[in-house]
Amino acid sequence: METPSSYHRRLAPLLLLLCFCTLQVEVHASRKKLYVAYLGERKHGHPDHVVASHHETLSSVLESKQDILDSIIYSYKHGFSGFAAMLTKEQAQQLADLPEVISVQPSRRYQTTTTRSWDFLGLGLNDKVPSDLLHRSRYGEDTIIGIIDTGIWPESRSFSDDGYEPVPSRWKGVCQVGVGWDRSNCSRKIIGARFYHAGVAEEELKSDYLSARDANGHGTHTASTAAGSVVEAASFHGLASGTARGGAPRARIAVYKSVWGSGRGAGSGNTATVLAAIDDAIHDGVDVLSLSLVVEENSFGALHAVQKGITVVYAAGNSGPMPQVVRNTAPWVITVAASKIDRSFPTVITLGNKKQIVGQSLYYEGRNSSGRTFRLLANGGLCTDDALNGTDVRGQIVLCVAFQVPPLALFPLALKNVLDAGASGLIFAQYSMDALDAEADCKGIPCVLVDFNMANQIGNYMGAASSPVAKIEPARSVTGEEVVAPKIAAFSSRGPSIDYPEVIKPDIAAPGASILAAKGDSYALLSGTSMATPHVAGAVALLKALHPNWSPAAVKSAIMTTASITDARSMPILAQGLPRKIADPFDYGGGNINPNKAAEPGLIYDIDPSDYDKFFGCTFKKFIQCNATMLPGYHLNLPSIAIPDLKHPITVSRTVTNVGEVITPVEVTRGLHVWQPYLAQ
């Protein structure tokens, strides 16, 4: 009888031969890659006819019908025409040379996530395995985030309360009814709603709901970013498609509508409405307050909230990149700068001479304009009403140029003007491609952002062509290593603080550029420190769920001392602007937020809430010996040190509290931010 070992020895040559043949087949097959061919608009009515046209196109590069069937993976036959096929590099090039083919590109691997920012920050739900912090905090279960903003749209899928337990018994808030809002609009997710309209301009109220319902969309967007429930298949007209959710998806939401107006932006409110909201929030029992708005400095309402154990998170403002424009800089609040994540929306412009230029936009297919070629017209300026007056732009793509810095709000204005004038598209040029933020909805017409260099190339073509034309393709979503991130957005307000020069501000940076979140019944991509603020609020909710006894100062310290100051390539984080530079604490405070590391900071710089009165009591109190009794602000136990007028040696001390494992003395100063250029002034 043959033994197993002798049988294997006899079979070995055959096994080797089989392995060799398989290897050869794999090597040959590896020459083929998946490519996507785009053919523009459908040229056939029935989907079957579109598929047949794809097969006919492929027959130009493949030999047989069977080869075509084996190669083609997908046929795009409803909204546009195109296909995905396994091809060699040579076949892909042959295909691209065909006149009916617009482009052929390798298929790239993208992560199918919308609130991409949370995955970028390490709080992922990929493969149903949550991050350590999400798991340990139970997704922020039963923490309560108060949103002081423009209200909320309760029917959004982001506020579903499926599977939620009853409202926490400690909640003392109310569900205030009003126009378009009854008690059924509150739920186990939206557990409370209030609105404040006294003193608000009548014209703002006329365009809004006299209730907690959000006509603006700003509050809905921020609330869903902080604590939105998990929503599958969300996108902005197909862009950034995937799963949308908040940072603390199981947290409860309390709505305090203090800002009014249905127009673009955050509307208008006043100090009285915001203070009333903070006051009620303290009473109601929120754990975190998120305010994506700029209010007057020296807000005592926020101080009282902090002294009651509520962490208050504010936006730094959108006036960057100039220095000394940061807002909401009280030392007891967390002031948030905006960073960019590893996602972009490249958009291809094809000129009449076949030259292609890649800009950025949120252009999605609509109005039968996708793939169409239009005449080009140079406006020579910002496309203002006056500049367009008397110019026939109908059926043309208008080139506009913004020389102002920063041009954040100019692109949407130019888009509105050319739309009103009847133009068919917009190319908007600004100073730096690095600072492009695809924030404006193109409203279904071709529109794209380019830099001055690209605009110059377009201008040269227009000067040489007797009848210049261009075609703008819909944007696509790109994520991952192709996009260097994080970066500090150009619009993000920079320090130092004018009101509190003894405090380095902002405190932290968080994703705030092209953030997808709920707006009405759908989803929108918005940019601003307003979008960055709820990212920090959501992370705070997770930390509060994990460490319920941490003070607001402890939470703030943990976030600041564990933040990242390098990007995905382990290079220093850059700050966008003119010129671009390496970011410093006046751009991002402690750095870009890292929620998972903040959960275990090891050491914290804690502050007794009453200590704020010892250092900043003059802010709110008027008495004769104020200056004599108040201590310099740089002695406050913050995780940073700033001395604005250093003329002689000063000793500054800090006290650390160990909230982790046993540490060594060398770790004591870990995370303490001392900004030397500022100290040397």
Side-chain angles (χ1 to χ4, degrees), residues 20-33 86-88 91:
F20 177 74
C21 293
T22 302
L23 179 63
Q24 291 293 93
V25 171
E26 289 176 350
V27 169
H28 178 73
S30 68
R31 295 178 55 198
K32 289 192 173 185
K33 293 173 59 178
M86 295 296 298
L87 302 168
T88 65
Q91 290 169 338

Side-chain angles (χ1 to χ4, degrees), residues 35-38 57 61 83 87 89-105:
Y35 287 86
V36 176
Y38 175 57
T57 300
V61 298
F83 55 85
L87 302 168
K89 184 178 180 180
E90 293 77 14
Q91 290 169 338
Q93 185 58 55
Q94 294 173 25
L95 191 65
D97 291 338
L98 297 176
E100 68 268 30
V101 176
I102 295 172
S103 67
V104 178
Q105 297 291 336

Side-chain angles (χ1 to χ4, degrees), residues 174-435:
V174 300
C175 184
Q176 185 178 1
V177 300
V179 177
W181 188 287
D182 58 33
R183 295 190 184 280
S184 67
N185 291 124
C186 290
S187 64
R188 295 184 178 188
K189 180 68 174 180
I190 303 173
I191 63 174
R194 300 178 186 267
F195 61 96
Y196 310 86
H197 63 281
V200 178
E202 187 65 28
E203 57 269 22
E204 297 289 353
L205 297 178
K206 286 181 179 178
S207 62
D208 207 334
Y209 297 94
L210 202 61
S211 70
R213 183 171 290 278
D214 182 16
N216 182 286
H218 189 272
T220 299
H221 198 278
T222 57
S224 61
T225 301
S229 300
V230 176
V231 176
E232 304 289 344
S235 73
F236 176 72
H237 297 280
L239 292 172
S241 60
T243 302
R245 61 184 174 86
R250 299 291 292 183
R252 315 298 181 118
I253 297 172
V255 182
Y256 301 89
K257 182 174 178 178
S258 306
V259 185
W260 300 79
S262 60
R264 187 181 183 276
S268 66
N270 56 53
T271 304
T273 60
V274 173
L275 286 175
I278 294 174
D279 187 44
D280 280 337
I282 294 172
H283 166 271
D284 295 344
V286 303
D287 300 299
V288 188
L289 271 177
S290 181
L291 297 95
S292 289
L293 48 101
V294 174
V295 298
E296 290 186 14
E297 291 290 2
N298 309 334
S299 170
F300 56 84
L303 176 58
H304 282 289
V306 168
Q307 290 178 332
K308 297 295 191 299
I310 300 169
T311 299
V312 181
V313 188
Y314 266 110
N318 300 331
S319 300
M322 289 77 70
Q324 292 188 300
V325 292
V326 64
R327 301 295 299 277
N328 299 321
T329 59
W332 41 87
V333 305
I334 301 177
T335 307
V336 187
S339 61
K340 303 184 77 170
I341 61 173
D342 61 340
R343 178 171 63 194
S344 66
F345 302 96
T347 307
V348 177
I349 304 170
T350 303
L351 303 177
N353 60 2
K354 304 298 183 181
K355 183 177 182 61
Q356 291 191 327
I357 294 171
V358 180
Q360 292 277 326
S361 82
L362 296 184
Y363 168 41
Y364 52 89
E365 193 171 24
R367 298 193 182 186
N368 298 318
S369 58
S370 178
R372 289 179 58 191
T373 299
F374 298 95
R375 280 186 58 82
L376 265 173
L377 171 69
N379 175 260
L382 287 172
C383 291
T384 61
D385 286 334
D386 291 340
L388 293 171
N389 187 31
T391 305
D392 185 7
V393 300
R394 289 173 296 179
Q396 301 182 75
I397 294 175
V398 184
L399 174 63
C400 307
V401 182
F403 294 102
Q404 286 86 342
V405 179
L408 180 66
L410 299 178
F411 174 56
L413 180 60
L415 178 62
K416 178 184 182 301
N417 291 337
V418 298
L419 275 170
D420 291 344
S424 294
L426 168 67
I427 299 175
F428 188 85
Q430 62 185 49
Y431 67 93
S432 171
M433 186 69 176
D434 187 53

